[in-house]
Amino acid sequence: MACSIVQFCSFQDLQSARDFLFPQLREETPGALRRDPSKTSNWEDDSWGAWEETEPQEPEEEGNTSKTQKSSWLQECVLSLSPTSDLMVIAREQKAAFLVPKWKHSDKGKEEMQFAVGWSGSVSAEEGEYVTSALCIPLASQKRSSTGRPDWTCIVVGFTSGYVRFYTESGVLLLAQLLNEDKVLQLKCRTYEIPRHPGVTEQNEELSILYPAAIVTIDGFSLFQSLRACRNQVAKAAASGNENIQPPPLAYKKWGLQDIDTIIDHASIGIMTLSPFDQMKTASNIGGFNAAIKNSPPAMSQYITVGSSPFTGFFYALEGSTQPLLSHVALAVASKLTSALFSAASGWLGWKSKHEEDTVQRQKPKMEPATPLAVRFGLPDSRRHGESICLSPCNTLAAVTDDFGRVILLDVARGIAIRMWKGYRDAQVGWIQIVEDLHERVPEKGDFSPFGNTQGPSRVAQFLVIYAPRRGILEVWNTQQGPRVGAFNVGKHCRLLYPGYKIMGLNNVTSQSWQPQTYQICLVDPVSASVKAVNVPFHLALSDKKSERAKDLHLVKKLAALLRSKSPRLDSFETEIKELILDIKYPATKKQALESILASDRLSFSCLRNVTQTLMDTLKNQELESVDEGLLQFCASKLKLLHLYESVSQLNTLDFHSDTPFSDNDLAVLLRLDDKELLKLRALLEKYRQENTKATVRFSEDADGMLPVKTFLEYLEYEKDALSIKKIGEEEYVALGSFFFWKCLHGESSTEDMCHSLESAGLSPQQLLSLLLSVWLSKEKDILDKPQSVCCLHTMLSLLSRMKVAIDETWDSQSVSPWWQQMRMACIQSENSGAALLSAHVGHSVAAQMSSSATDKKFSQMVLDADAEALTDSWEALSLDTEYWKLLLRQLEDCLILQTLLHSKASPPATRASSPQTEPLPRLSVRKLLEGGKGGIADSVAKWIFKQDLSPELLKCANKERDVENPDEPREGIARSLPEVSEVEIDLGAIPELLHLAYEQFPCSLELDVLHAHCCWEYVVQWNKDPEEARFLVRSIEHLKHILNPHVQNGIALMMWNTFLVKRFSAATYLMDKVGKSPKDRLCRRDVGMSDTALTSFLGSCLELLQTSLEADISRDEVQVPVLDTEDAWLSVEGPISIVELALEQKPIHYPLVEHHSILCSILYASMRFSLKSVKPLALFDSKGKNAFFKDLTSIQLLPSGEMDPNFISVRQQFLLKVVSAAVQAQHSKDKDPSAEAANTHWKDLNWPVLAVDLAHHLQVNDDVIRRHYVGELYSHGADLLGEEAIFQVQDKEVLASQLLVLTGQRLAHALFHTQTKEGMELLARLPPTLCTWLKAMNPQDLQNTDVPIAATAKLVHKVMELLPEKHGQYSLALHLIDAVEAMTTL
């Protein structure tokens, strides 16, 4: 056991604290890295200045300096960590961050302590003052229940202004005091420690504050009471709102240090008493031959400073008396003591009322004068300048660092340097004090020293820790003259923290009540964001001659090297191992050596057994008093395990084969099944095996039943003469069970002998049953391939059940046996349904067999004793247990069928779209189905349907009965999507049959409406994860339409709308209303979260959903609310409420409000579908209509009613005319993009002209205007046949005839004026002047299609003549047109 450095906590976000304290480091982060995640979506927000010429880059040296500063920023901060590790302070200049620990899960899954920023802010109260030093002092609790424990932590901060301020963990200022006008150099604290020896002076608690020329000490008891009072007053003030609170007085001493040039650091040694010899020596040096001394030595407070001239100064302040200690120095000392009396604190900040604050800031606090204190002696070295001093925990040694890169060890009592280390520039030092563990001592024969007895006093060792940041190394040295005992590479930017104190407020009574978990020294690494502690074992302080522990460790290292080496001679190898382990003295080390031997995988089993047996024999031959009982028990337990391993290995290696033939009839008798039940079980398992083989990858078989002895010893242990299994993982548990039972389950080992060996070894039947079931359930593939293993399991289970402790004979007959309940629980939790079903049949058979034998036994007793009640009780117990088995078998059968279905896959043809890529479906178990709620089964099937992307028609088809009399019936349900379904059916395989079987097994849970509801929800959930997959939402709406019950349909639609659609729908509405046209792809992605193509499909799906809701609301009153039943086997289902139950809880929709949203959705859909411009959707509605949008569809809103403003009607009419024009153009335009047509297959089903007429009815627009416009657009595009059909729907045919007359003139004008043929010019000359003038006024460019046959135009003219009345003003013009057209047809 050597030195170690262990991480005991980490930082959650150290960079945030660094950015707060060093804003310039945060600003130097490259802008490209910050903008990278959002540069594609927010490029327009970047300033144009980014494109301007940048300034030349700085030289590379400055870049390196900046990089170094980012790593070494912690060296520039004031850092302090509480000894109890409950608070850390990082301060710089005027800012400070308080970090508190929190327990969180690490990446490895274990809980670890992490420091997180609890408070951050500015701590300076005066302009220009900076933080120079800080301390985190935990204060002891005064409650009886937590005496000696830390209550809260006070943060003490010193500033350049001379102020010392005290804060709570949350940054609340408790009190502030100006003790000296110079800056604070250092804050140090000393807490109470129990004296190790009776002659050691008991030290009082104190807080010492170093100034450039003074030391201020505050008594610890007074400080503790004052801080508690201040904290209580602050809490009361916060509760009452009163700010004018007077703080309690604070007592302190102030010493003015003289005869020294510069002071950098100090150490307060405490009260010391001189020995009589030192007293007389000092008196002689100062007073000469005639000096007089007192009988009792004086008590003095000793202070040591480091700096320059002298390099180290020693100061002594007399305590507690004004009488002269020496006759000639009495006058000099008397004046100093009078001014060093305790005085009340002055200059409070933060406690005055608001109207007194200005006065307080203007007046400087009154300063108490310092008592002069001259240096008594020092270590003069004019060239050396001290940098820091660190006092050892027992106040006898101190480590000093200087600017020459030296670390000097001082003897505090004698004032001399006793050791020096070179080459440690900028070193940081600390101490570790280790107390010897008395239990590790070994009593030696003939050793009568006090240390040979375990009852002797504990020894204490001190180690000096030196961190050299320039070399990035941490070293541990044994003091005073000992060697280096440890060295670690830790990095060059760490901070070594050594507080040197513990909890304030303890005394000799309370400090013994509870040992606080405090660290002595730690290392903060900003690079790895961790805090590490240094652990040093006590034996490293012992010399090699006296340390038996060191010899033992040497033997352990030699043994480890021997185990790693390859020895050619095994006999000598084993002998050498025995000699080494017998030479070790310490029992703990001996145990460690034996553990390393047993953990080695290089040694054979015989070697391990011989070594352990030799050690065991040696321990037995020793005297009982000198034998360690723990080591003896350890050896005995390992020997038992080795013997068990040997017996099991021998049984597994024996050539054992059972010659008993095995047939189906034997299996039926064994499982107590008839032929029909056995055939059904075989069929289910065969389907399950086939689908399960497809679903998984088969790897090469491992060596089942083999287990190394090293692993075997790691899995088992003896506790109180009972063999138990350690807490191991599932795989390790299966490996151990395979070692015991795999050969037996294959019939290759004797089952009876194995059970007898395991029972005699001390393994309980419950543990053996658990191991057996874990092997059986995990080796499902091998078991299904070899049915004979069922017989072996039956035999093994029968033997285990007949063990003594397995089934208690006195068990209450009205209850269920815990033995069989354990087996049922294992089957319920197993995800391998095939193996679980077989094991349940075997368990049921064995339980019935044992119950029958018990019944026969009781029946014989009943005959003898004439006790009729025994038989009744027996049959009741049998029936109760049997019912549990029957229920489990039904549940496992259902789970097997469902798991088979979920494993099945459809092999899609090449032309079919790829199935959605999702995570694999989780395996099912009875427990998961019981905890999944009423909708758990349908939810699992819905996830599988989504993964296979099956159409709703297929689900409906598979649900129908396959009746031979009506073979065409299933085809009727899929008439609408026959090409798609027939294509899929080619490669469906066994899916329709498995679906039909699942429907029969779960008539309630997989009822068609329930399944469609879950599929609808699953598809919309997956669409919400990736809105670009518009087909998911389309398929979800298809499932919604297939729901027959309007109550369920209405609830699902309403939940979909509220959960997933309304937010995106409203965002799309506001975006389109903002841009006034169909938005571009970039804007759609930014505001709605999907592309423009996906948005178009989304709006179409929203329209279908709203229309489906309207249809469902109409038929709600005609259909009753469905009753959701559950299969008998699953009545005990618990878990979340199902989707269908939630849907039935939804309120009915408000029909007019949904219709109102449907109108808006139609407008948005048309605008996106045809890319309409100059369209603001919300501008088509008045204020009432706008306010009603995006409200809860079940609420009653104030909707527009009555006559609409003509301006709104005009805008609406213009929009509908645009929609009709765009729809006709998209349908009949010649230059239509073929790729766009293929992409818009979902939109071609909508009849936009009919939809426009329907919208006109709702928007109070004259629908006849829309119909006439539709007819005109058809003729304009040359679709005369469709135009003739559409004319019949027009009511005002006279206006239509006038419009068509103009369109006819445009066609003739194009034919006569734009073709410029000779015959055409001659015909034009023969026409009446009136007709010629009219034709010249026509603009043929308004026609969308000019390539129309003249015969179609002639037919159109005749149609116009039919529509125009004879008295119409344009009737004569129409007659002339007929003549002109007839003349043109003859050309």
CSV table of all heavy atoms in Angstrom, one decimal, residues 729-768:
chain,number,residue,atom,x,y,z
A,729,GLY,N,-23.8,-9.1,-11.7
A,729,GLY,CA,-24.7,-8.8,-12.8
A,729,GLY,C,-25.5,-10.0,-13.4
A,729,GLY,O,-25.2,-11.1,-13.0
A,730,GLU,N,-26.4,-9.7,-14.3
A,730,GLU,CA,-27.2,-10.7,-14.9
A,730,GLU,C,-26.4,-11.7,-15.6
A,730,GLU,O,-26.6,-12.9,-15.5
A,730,GLU,CB,-28.3,-10.1,-15.8
A,730,GLU,CG,-29.2,-11.1,-16.4
A,730,GLU,CD,-30.1,-11.7,-15.3
A,730,GLU,OE1,-30.3,-11.1,-14.2
A,730,GLU,OE2,-30.6,-12.9,-15.5
A,731,GLU,N,-25.4,-11.2,-16.4
A,731,GLU,CA,-24.6,-12.2,-17.2
A,731,GLU,C,-23.7,-13.1,-16.3
A,731,GLU,O,-23.6,-14.3,-16.6
A,731,GLU,CB,-23.7,-11.4,-18.1
A,731,GLU,CG,-24.4,-10.6,-19.2
A,731,GLU,CD,-23.5,-9.9,-20.1
A,731,GLU,OE1,-22.2,-10.0,-19.9
A,731,GLU,OE2,-24.0,-9.2,-21.1
A,732,GLU,N,-23.2,-12.5,-15.2
A,732,GLU,CA,-22.4,-13.3,-14.3
A,732,GLU,C,-23.3,-14.3,-13.6
A,732,GLU,O,-22.9,-15.4,-13.3
A,732,GLU,CB,-21.7,-12.4,-13.3
A,732,GLU,CG,-20.6,-11.5,-13.8
A,732,GLU,CD,-21.1,-10.2,-14.5
A,732,GLU,OE1,-22.4,-10.1,-14.4
A,732,GLU,OE2,-20.3,-9.4,-15.0
A,733,TYR,N,-24.5,-13.9,-13.3
A,733,TYR,CA,-25.4,-14.8,-12.6
A,733,TYR,C,-25.7,-16.0,-13.5
A,733,TYR,O,-25.8,-17.2,-13.1
A,733,TYR,CB,-26.7,-14.1,-12.3
A,733,TYR,CG,-27.5,-14.7,-11.1
A,733,TYR,CD1,-27.1,-14.4,-9.8
A,733,TYR,CD2,-28.6,-15.4,-11.3
A,733,TYR,CE1,-27.8,-14.9,-8.7
A,733,TYR,CE2,-29.3,-15.9,-10.2
A,733,TYR,CZ,-28.9,-15.7,-8.9
A,733,TYR,OH,-29.6,-16.2,-7.9
A,734,VAL,N,-26.0,-15.8,-14.8
A,734,VAL,CA,-26.2,-16.8,-15.8
A,734,VAL,C,-25.0,-17.7,-15.9
A,734,VAL,O,-25.1,-19.0,-16.0
A,734,VAL,CB,-26.7,-16.2,-17.1
A,734,VAL,CG1,-26.8,-17.3,-18.2
A,734,VAL,CG2,-28.0,-15.5,-17.0
A,735,ALA,N,-23.8,-17.1,-15.9
A,735,ALA,CA,-22.6,-17.9,-16.1
A,735,ALA,C,-22.4,-18.9,-14.9
A,735,ALA,O,-22.1,-20.1,-15.1
A,735,ALA,CB,-21.4,-17.0,-16.2
A,736,LEU,N,-22.7,-18.4,-13.7
A,736,LEU,CA,-22.6,-19.3,-12.5
A,736,LEU,C,-23.7,-20.4,-12.6
A,736,LEU,O,-23.4,-21.6,-12.3
A,736,LEU,CB,-22.8,-18.4,-11.2
A,736,LEU,CG,-22.7,-19.2,-9.9
A,736,LEU,CD1,-21.3,-19.8,-9.8
A,736,LEU,CD2,-23.0,-18.2,-8.7
A,737,GLY,N,-24.9,-20.0,-13.0
A,737,GLY,CA,-25.9,-21.1,-13.1
A,737,GLY,C,-25.6,-22.1,-14.2
A,737,GLY,O,-25.9,-23.3,-14.0
A,738,SER,N,-25.0,-21.6,-15.3
A,738,SER,CA,-24.6,-22.6,-16.3
A,738,SER,C,-23.5,-23.5,-15.8
A,738,SER,O,-23.5,-24.7,-16.2
A,738,SER,CB,-24.1,-21.8,-17.6
A,738,SER,OG,-25.1,-20.9,-18.1
A,739,PHE,N,-22.6,-23.0,-15.0
A,739,PHE,CA,-21.6,-23.9,-14.5
A,739,PHE,C,-22.2,-25.0,-13.6
A,739,PHE,O,-21.7,-26.2,-13.6
A,739,PHE,CB,-20.6,-23.1,-13.6
A,739,PHE,CG,-19.5,-23.9,-12.9
A,739,PHE,CD1,-18.6,-24.5,-13.7
A,739,PHE,CD2,-19.5,-23.9,-11.6
A,739,PHE,CE1,-17.6,-25.3,-13.1
A,739,PHE,CE2,-18.5,-24.7,-10.9
A,739,PHE,CZ,-17.5,-25.3,-11.7
A,740,PHE,N,-23.3,-24.7,-12.9
A,740,PHE,CA,-23.9,-25.7,-12.1
A,740,PHE,C,-24.9,-26.6,-12.9
A,740,PHE,O,-24.9,-27.8,-12.7
A,740,PHE,CB,-24.7,-25.0,-11.0
A,740,PHE,CG,-23.9,-24.4,-9.9
A,740,PHE,CD1,-24.3,-23.3,-9.2
A,740,PHE,CD2,-22.6,-24.9,-9.6
A,740,PHE,CE1,-23.5,-22.7,-8.2
A,740,PHE,CE2,-21.8,-24.3,-8.6
A,740,PHE,CZ,-22.3,-23.2,-7.9
A,741,PHE,N,-25.7,-26.1,-13.8
A,741,PHE,CA,-26.8,-26.8,-14.3
A,741,PHE,C,-26.8,-27.0,-15.8
A,741,PHE,O,-27.7,-27.8,-16.3
A,741,PHE,CB,-28.1,-26.1,-13.9
A,741,PHE,CG,-28.3,-25.9,-12.4
A,741,PHE,CD1,-28.4,-24.6,-11.9
A,741,PHE,CD2,-28.5,-27.0,-11.6
A,741,PHE,CE1,-28.6,-24.4,-10.5
A,741,PHE,CE2,-28.7,-26.8,-10.2
A,741,PHE,CZ,-28.7,-25.6,-9.7
A,742,TRP,N,-26.0,-26.4,-16.6
A,742,TRP,CA,-26.1,-26.6,-18.0
A,742,TRP,C,-25.9,-28.0,-18.5
A,742,TRP,O,-26.7,-28.5,-19.3
A,742,TRP,CB,-25.1,-25.6,-18.7
A,742,TRP,CG,-25.3,-25.6,-20.2
A,742,TRP,CD1,-24.4,-26.0,-21.2
A,742,TRP,CD2,-26.5,-25.1,-20.9
A,742,TRP,NE1,-24.9,-25.8,-22.4
A,742,TRP,CE2,-26.2,-25.3,-22.3
A,742,TRP,CE3,-27.7,-24.6,-20.5
A,742,TRP,CZ2,-27.1,-24.9,-23.2
A,742,TRP,CZ3,-28.6,-24.3,-21.4
A,742,TRP,CH2,-28.3,-24.4,-22.8
A,743,LYS,N,-24.9,-28.7,-18.0
A,743,LYS,CA,-24.7,-30.1,-18.3
A,743,LYS,C,-25.9,-30.9,-17.9
A,743,LYS,O,-26.3,-31.9,-18.6
A,743,LYS,CB,-23.4,-30.6,-17.7
A,743,LYS,CG,-22.2,-29.9,-18.2
A,743,LYS,CD,-21.8,-30.3,-19.6
A,743,LYS,CE,-20.5,-29.7,-20.0
A,743,LYS,NZ,-20.1,-30.1,-21.4
A,744,CYS,N,-26.5,-30.6,-16.7
A,744,CYS,CA,-27.6,-31.4,-16.3
A,744,CYS,C,-28.8,-31.2,-17.2
A,744,CYS,O,-29.6,-32.1,-17.5
A,744,CYS,CB,-28.0,-31.0,-14.8
A,744,CYS,SG,-26.7,-31.3,-13.6
A,745,LEU,N,-29.1,-30.0,-17.6
A,745,LEU,CA,-30.2,-29.7,-18.5
A,745,LEU,C,-30.0,-30.3,-19.9
A,745,LEU,O,-31.0,-30.6,-20.5
A,745,LEU,CB,-30.4,-28.2,-18.7
A,745,LEU,CG,-30.8,-27.4,-17.4
A,745,LEU,CD1,-30.9,-25.9,-17.7
A,745,LEU,CD2,-32.2,-27.9,-17.0
A,746,HIS,N,-28.8,-30.6,-20.3
A,746,HIS,CA,-28.6,-31.3,-21.5
A,746,HIS,C,-28.5,-32.8,-21.3
A,746,HIS,O,-28.3,-33.6,-22.3
A,746,HIS,CB,-27.3,-30.8,-22.1
A,746,HIS,CG,-27.5,-29.6,-23.0
A,746,HIS,ND1,-27.4,-29.6,-24.3
A,746,HIS,CD2,-27.7,-28.3,-22.6
A,746,HIS,CE1,-27.6,-28.4,-24.8
A,746,HIS,NE2,-27.8,-27.6,-23.8
A,747,GLY,N,-28.7,-33.3,-20.1
A,747,GLY,CA,-28.6,-34.7,-19.9
A,747,GLY,C,-27.2,-35.3,-19.9
A,747,GLY,O,-27.1,-36.5,-20.0
A,748,GLU,N,-26.2,-34.4,-19.7
A,748,GLU,CA,-24.8,-34.9,-19.8
A,748,GLU,C,-24.2,-35.0,-18.4
A,748,GLU,O,-23.0,-35.2,-18.3
A,748,GLU,CB,-24.0,-33.9,-20.7
A,748,GLU,CG,-24.5,-33.9,-22.1
A,748,GLU,CD,-23.8,-32.8,-22.9
A,748,GLU,OE1,-22.9,-32.2,-22.3
A,748,GLU,OE2,-24.2,-32.6,-24.1
A,749,SER,N,-25.0,-34.8,-17.4
A,749,SER,CA,-24.5,-34.8,-16.0
A,749,SER,C,-25.6,-35.3,-15.1
A,749,SER,O,-26.8,-35.2,-15.4
A,749,SER,CB,-24.0,-33.5,-15.5
A,749,SER,OG,-23.5,-33.5,-14.2
A,750,SER,N,-25.1,-36.0,-14.0
A,750,SER,CA,-26.1,-36.6,-13.1
A,750,SER,C,-26.8,-35.5,-12.3
A,750,SER,O,-26.2,-34.7,-11.6
A,750,SER,CB,-25.4,-37.5,-12.1
A,750,SER,OG,-26.3,-38.0,-11.1
A,751,THR,N,-28.1,-35.4,-12.5
A,751,THR,CA,-28.9,-34.3,-11.8
A,751,THR,C,-28.9,-34.6,-10.3
A,751,THR,O,-28.8,-33.6,-9.5
A,751,THR,CB,-30.3,-34.3,-12.3
A,751,THR,OG1,-30.3,-34.2,-13.8
A,751,THR,CG2,-31.1,-33.2,-11.8
A,752,GLU,N,-29.1,-35.8,-9.8
A,752,GLU,CA,-29.2,-36.1,-8.4
A,752,GLU,C,-27.9,-35.8,-7.7
A,752,GLU,O,-27.9,-35.2,-6.6
A,752,GLU,CB,-29.5,-37.6,-8.2
A,752,GLU,CG,-30.9,-38.0,-8.6
A,752,GLU,CD,-31.0,-38.2,-10.1
A,752,GLU,OE1,-30.0,-38.1,-10.8
A,752,GLU,OE2,-32.1,-38.5,-10.6
A,753,ASP,N,-26.7,-36.2,-8.3
A,753,ASP,CA,-25.5,-35.9,-7.7
A,753,ASP,C,-25.2,-34.4,-7.6
A,753,ASP,O,-24.6,-33.9,-6.6
A,753,ASP,CB,-24.3,-36.6,-8.4
A,753,ASP,CG,-24.5,-38.1,-8.4
A,753,ASP,OD1,-25.2,-38.6,-7.5
A,753,ASP,OD2,-23.8,-38.8,-9.2
A,754,MET,N,-25.5,-33.7,-8.6
A,754,MET,CA,-25.3,-32.2,-8.6
A,754,MET,C,-26.1,-31.6,-7.5
A,754,MET,O,-25.6,-30.7,-6.8
A,754,MET,CB,-25.6,-31.7,-10.0
A,754,MET,CG,-25.4,-30.2,-10.1
A,754,MET,SD,-23.6,-29.8,-10.0
A,754,MET,CE,-23.0,-30.4,-11.5
A,755,CYS,N,-27.4,-31.9,-7.4
A,755,CYS,CA,-28.2,-31.3,-6.3
A,755,CYS,C,-27.7,-31.7,-5.0
A,755,CYS,O,-27.7,-30.8,-4.0
A,755,CYS,CB,-29.7,-31.8,-6.5
A,755,CYS,SG,-30.5,-31.1,-7.9
A,756,HIS,N,-27.2,-32.9,-4.8
A,756,HIS,CA,-26.7,-33.3,-3.5
A,756,HIS,C,-25.5,-32.5,-3.1
A,756,HIS,O,-25.3,-32.1,-2.0
A,756,HIS,CB,-26.4,-34.8,-3.5
A,756,HIS,CG,-25.8,-35.3,-2.2
A,756,HIS,ND1,-26.6,-35.4,-1.0
A,756,HIS,CD2,-24.6,-35.7,-1.9
A,756,HIS,CE1,-25.8,-35.8,0.0
A,756,HIS,NE2,-24.6,-36.0,-0.5
A,757,SER,N,-24.6,-32.3,-4.1
A,757,SER,CA,-23.3,-31.6,-3.8
A,757,SER,C,-23.6,-30.1,-3.5
A,757,SER,O,-23.0,-29.6,-2.6
A,757,SER,CB,-22.4,-31.6,-5.1
A,757,SER,OG,-22.0,-33.0,-5.4
A,758,LEU,N,-24.5,-29.5,-4.2
A,758,LEU,CA,-24.8,-28.1,-4.0
A,758,LEU,C,-25.5,-27.9,-2.6
A,758,LEU,O,-25.3,-26.9,-1.9
A,758,LEU,CB,-25.7,-27.5,-5.1
A,758,LEU,CG,-25.0,-27.5,-6.5
A,758,LEU,CD1,-26.0,-27.0,-7.5
A,758,LEU,CD2,-23.8,-26.6,-6.5
A,759,GLU,N,-26.4,-28.9,-2.3
A,759,GLU,CA,-27.1,-28.8,-1.0
A,759,GLU,C,-26.2,-29.0,0.1
A,759,GLU,O,-26.2,-28.2,1.1
A,759,GLU,CB,-28.2,-29.8,-1.0
A,759,GLU,CG,-29.1,-29.7,0.3
A,759,GLU,CD,-30.2,-30.8,0.3
A,759,GLU,OE1,-30.1,-31.7,-0.5
A,759,GLU,OE2,-31.1,-30.7,1.2
A,760,SER,N,-25.2,-29.9,0.0
A,760,SER,CA,-24.3,-30.1,1.1
A,760,SER,C,-23.3,-29.0,1.3
A,760,SER,O,-22.7,-28.7,2.3
A,760,SER,CB,-23.5,-31.4,0.9
A,760,SER,OG,-22.8,-31.4,-0.4
A,761,ALA,N,-23.1,-28.2,0.2
A,761,ALA,CA,-22.1,-27.1,0.2
A,761,ALA,C,-22.7,-25.9,1.0
A,761,ALA,O,-22.0,-25.0,1.4
A,761,ALA,CB,-21.7,-26.6,-1.2
A,762,GLY,N,-24.1,-25.9,1.2
A,762,GLY,CA,-24.7,-24.8,1.9
A,762,GLY,C,-25.5,-23.9,1.1
A,762,GLY,O,-26.0,-22.9,1.7
A,763,LEU,N,-25.7,-24.1,-0.2
A,763,LEU,CA,-26.5,-23.2,-1.0
A,763,LEU,C,-28.0,-23.5,-0.7
A,763,LEU,O,-28.4,-24.7,-0.7
A,763,LEU,CB,-26.2,-23.5,-2.5
A,763,LEU,CG,-25.0,-22.7,-3.0
A,763,LEU,CD1,-24.7,-23.2,-4.4
A,763,LEU,CD2,-25.3,-21.2,-3.0
A,764,SER,N,-28.8,-22.5,-0.5
A,764,SER,CA,-30.2,-22.7,-0.2
A,764,SER,C,-31.0,-23.1,-1.4
A,764,SER,O,-30.6,-22.8,-2.6
A,764,SER,CB,-30.8,-21.4,0.4
A,764,SER,OG,-30.8,-20.4,-0.6
A,765,PRO,N,-32.1,-23.8,-1.3
A,765,PRO,CA,-32.9,-24.2,-2.5
A,765,PRO,C,-33.4,-23.0,-3.3
A,765,PRO,O,-33.5,-23.0,-4.5
A,765,PRO,CB,-34.1,-25.0,-1.9
A,765,PRO,CG,-33.5,-25.5,-0.6
A,765,PRO,CD,-32.6,-24.4,-0.1
A,766,GLN,N,-33.7,-21.9,-2.5
A,766,GLN,CA,-34.2,-20.7,-3.2
A,766,GLN,C,-33.1,-20.1,-4.2
A,766,GLN,O,-33.4,-19.7,-5.3
A,766,GLN,CB,-34.6,-19.6,-2.2
A,766,GLN,CG,-35.9,-19.9,-1.5
A,766,GLN,CD,-35.7,-21.0,-0.4
A,766,GLN,OE1,-34.6,-21.3,0.0
A,766,GLN,NE2,-36.9,-21.5,0.1
A,767,GLN,N,-31.8,-20.1,-3.7
A,767,GLN,CA,-30.7,-19.6,-4.6
A,767,GLN,C,-30.5,-20.6,-5.8
A,767,GLN,O,-30.3,-20.1,-6.9
A,767,GLN,CB,-29.5,-19.5,-3.8
A,767,GLN,CG,-29.5,-18.4,-2.7
A,767,GLN,CD,-28.2,-18.4,-1.9
A,767,GLN,OE1,-27.5,-19.4,-1.7
A,767,GLN,NE2,-27.8,-17.2,-1.4
A,768,LEU,N,-30.6,-21.9,-5.5
A,768,LEU,CA,-30.5,-22.8,-6.6
A,768,LEU,C,-31.6,-22.7,-7.6
A,768,LEU,O,-31.4,-22.8,-8.8
A,768,LEU,CB,-30.4,-24.3,-6.0
A,768,LEU,CG,-29.2,-24.6,-5.2
A,768,LEU,CD1,-29.3,-26.0,-4.6
A,768,LEU,CD2,-27.9,-24.4,-6.0
